[in-house]
Amino acid sequence: MATEFHNLQELRHSASLANKVFLQRDYSDGTTCRFQTKFPSELESRIERPLFEDTVKRLNIYYAEAEKMGGQSYLEGCLACATAYLIFLCMETRYEKVLKKIGRYIQEQNEKIYAPRGLLITDPIERGMRVVSFQLLLLLCVCVRERQTKKNKDRDEENNIDRERVNSTHV
Amino acid sequence: MSAVMMTRKVRKWEKLPGKNTFCCDGRVMMARQKGVFYLTLFLIVGTCSLFFAFECPYLAIHLSPAIPVFAILLFFFVMAMLLRTSFSDPGVLPRALPEEATFIEMEIEATNGNVPAGQRPPPRIRNVQINGQIVKLKYCYTCKIFRPPRASHCSICDNCVDRFDHHCPWVGNCVGKRNYRYFYLFTLSLSLLTIYIFTFNIVHVVMRSVNSGFVKTLQDTPGTYPFMLVCFFTLWSVVGLTGFHTYLISLNQTTNEDIKGSWSGKNRVQNPYSHKNIINNCCEVLCGPAYPSVLDRRGLMRDDLSVPTSALSIVPGLCLQLESSYGAMFPLQKTTAPLIPNEHTPDDAKPSMADSAIAHAEKRSPSPREEKLPTLPKSSPTPTKVPPLASPETDAEASIIAKDKAL
């Protein structure tokens, strides 16, 4: 089954036909970026709850790290102000570094855990940091095709048996 | 198939909704009306040029050469902050794509239940608790999203902006989460520059008058008066504005919230975003992390134009929606999700759906959607019924929304 999903790009093309489940933001702590860890009922049959919660918690930890107000962010802010923010033309901000880390993490999670279960997570940055979307892929259509070919095979076998029976009766 | 497909690669900013103008291939983002911004530029550059031309030579010789040097540094800082405020993305929230909009609509329908015919449905509000305070999130009919806390829709730019402060015509852009600190530093440094120039203007006139008399000084330096006048009037407005924003920052409020009186203390409503400490509030606003833009302006996307060569007519109202960098396109009307074969689908429906779906999955470049959706046999059950996407007229909160947009 893993070989069916070796190319995530193709998956995303086909995923445009699929259903999507959206995980909303959790604003209980203010405007910092956090996503709800409530397990959506649509994913119950697709993925185990602990795996899902682990992923979302990990994402929340990464976003908290990006938005953390501490010595490093103040230093970055003051240094940038002193250079009239021209330093951002040469340097990557801490937030951007963490976003890249998040992108790699989501890619890894998709390849290892979600794609084999017929799901695909979209990076929240592509949706304006509003939602984490889970795309339900057409995993079932592959199963259907296999089932169909199996059905055809069975039907052919039955036809062969009938033909033999008919032949034997004729004889 | 009797249609000719023309595909070209475009940058996403070319297809962004909203009333912004983009320059430098999407690197610069401003509002449409830029006239007042050009006036700001002219006033700053003009005043400083006159100061450097007429006052600085005398002051450098008779007082100190550090005076023009500091003025130059301050001038460059002001210009850098102004351009940074004007050209950057203020924190625009991208509009919801059709699937997300439909998902939200379905959630709203589920919450509201059955509305009796003839009655207006209840206003679209989501209540969230932030630091012990109930905050109402309003639904934006233009962007089809529930606005995050502190976000507001700017009617001039036609975008929802995160931590919306105000739309400033002087900088030709909205002021929001991403560029508020640049805006504040611009007003602060401009106040300092104006005070600096005004002070040294007076010093220059006094020094010359001591040497050659007041009247002769006025005759010798006619260039002084226009920009002294400009400085004088600018001083009061800019210093006043800086003072006002310093007050807002110390309370961690936005101009929008201040105008609406969101946290005025009436009905025991407190600002849930404030750290209750002036220094912490200032640090958060001015020295917090530099938020990235969530609006991908320079990403590439495919622009598919189908030119029918036969009598086939394209679905009326077909318009190309912005999608992620994967390049799939969705017509505006096609909000229903196609039926995905599952255990409840009748057996005869499955093969045709599976085959057409697989054919689509194997295709590398997507074609216009109206030709490629899987064809459903008539006996198949319909997908979950999608409510029509609402408009403000059908909602009880229409008047409030109109007021919101006007602000």
Side-chain angles (χ1 to χ4, degrees), chain B residues 238-395:
Chain B
V238 177
V239 169
L241 189 67
T242 310
F244 174 64
H245 279 283
T246 311
Y247 162 76
L248 287 180
I249 287 174
S250 62
L251 294 178
N252 203 331
Q253 269 192 33
T254 63
T255 309
N256 198 34
E257 287 164 354
D258 189 66
I259 288 174
K260 285 186 184 166
S262 311
W263 319 120
S264 56
K266 188 168 60 164
N267 302 328
R268 296 215 195 118
V269 170
Q270 300 275 310
N271 185 357
Y273 313 109
S274 170
H275 298 278
K276 315 280 183 226
N277 180 336
I278 290 177
I279 296 174
N280 284 357
N281 285 339
C282 291
C283 284
E284 187 200 312
V285 176
L286 299 176
C287 303
Y291 298 99
S293 173
V294 295
L295 208 62
D296 186 14
R297 285 166 278 156
R298 290 182 42 79
L300 290 167
M301 58 184 274
R302 274 204 198 93
D303 189 12
D304 291 332
L305 299 167
S306 172
V307 182
T309 54
S310 71
L312 273 176
S313 62
I314 297 178
V315 170
L318 171 75
C319 72
L320 299 166
Q321 283 277 338
L322 182 65
E323 181 46 84
S324 67
S325 51
Y326 306 109
M329 295 296 178
F330 292 90
L332 197 55
Q333 280 93 341
K334 299 281 180 197
T335 52
T336 45
L339 184 63
I340 294 162
N342 56 24
E343 59 271 20
H344 302 298
T345 319
D347 282 323
D348 51 347
K350 284 180 190 170
S352 59
M353 277 191 281
D355 284 343
S356 54
I358 289 165
H360 186 87
E362 281 165 7
K363 247 182 104 62
R364 285 234 171 249
S365 57
S367 23
R369 300 281 293 136
E370 74 280 10
E371 294 175 28
K372 282 294 162 196
L373 283 172
T375 51
L376 302 175
K378 290 200 178 101
S379 57
S380 60
T382 50
T384 49
K385 212 169 151 226
V386 173
L389 295 178
S391 61
E393 291 77 39
T394 58
D395 192 288

Side-chain angles (χ1 to χ4, degrees), chain A residues 26-160:
Chain A
D26 175 15
Y27 293 115
S28 54
D29 260 347
T31 48
T32 49
C33 190
R34 261 178 75 88
F35 290 97
Q36 291 177 358
T37 47
K38 192 178 70 145
F39 188 57
S41 51
E42 294 93 334
L43 299 179
E44 251 162 38
S45 54
R46 297 278 199 148
I47 186 143
E48 298 83 36
R49 190 190 282 255
L51 284 172
F52 166 85
E53 280 176 3
D54 269 342
T55 309
V56 181
K57 278 186 184 148
R58 185 101 222 130
L59 282 178
N60 285 340
I61 288 170
Y62 280 139
Y63 283 118
E65 183 196 326
E67 296 192 5
K68 195 175 75 160
M69 297 298 173
Q72 201 190 350
S73 80
Y74 293 152
L75 198 64
E76 195 184 57
C78 292
L79 182 69
C81 181
T83 59
Y85 296 94
L86 293 170
I87 202 168
F88 286 156
L89 295 170
C90 342
M91 189 183 95
E92 217 178 29
T93 62
R94 195 162 65 103
Y95 210 114
E96 281 166 356
K97 285 186 191 141
V98 178
L99 282 180
K100 284 201 173 144
K101 214 173 23 168
I102 289 171
R104 284 195 298 269
Y105 173 72
I106 288 179
Q107 174 96 358
E108 180 211 325
Q109 290 283 291
N110 273 334
E111 280 166 8
K112 288 193 186 149
I113 298 176
Y114 289 88
R117 289 169 172 77
L119 288 170
L120 207 63
I121 309 178
T122 313
D123 197 333
I125 194 105
E126 292 170 23
R127 297 284 178 268
M129 307 278 254
R130 278 194 312 267
V131 285
V132 180
S133 81
F134 289 82
Q135 297 171 343
L136 307 173
L137 296 177
L138 301 174
L139 170 67
L140 292 169
C141 80
V142 175
C143 296
V144 165
R145 198 185 205 184
E146 284 176 352
R147 225 182 294 159
Q148 192 56 37
T149 36
K150 191 174 175 298
K151 239 193 222 172
N152 286 339
K153 249 193 235 171
D154 290 344
R155 212 182 301 144
D156 287 342
E157 277 177 28
E158 272 179 38
N159 287 342
N160 285 340

Side-chain angles (χ1 to χ4, degrees), chain B residues 23-73:
Chain B
C23 309
C24 299
D25 201 19
R27 290 181 181 89
V28 165
M29 180 172 173
M30 290 181 77
R32 267 194 198 159
Q33 298 94 344
K34 297 186 274 285
V36 188
F37 168 68
Y38 293 137
L39 176 67
T40 311
L41 275 177
F42 170 74
L43 285 173
I44 296 174
V45 173
T47 312
C48 290
S49 315
L50 289 173
F51 177 72
F52 292 131
F54 292 107
E55 320 268 302
C56 281
Y58 184 89
L59 290 167
I61 295 165
H62 289 87
L63 266 185
S64 162
I67 294 169
V69 168
F70 187 71
I72 287 173
L73 288 174

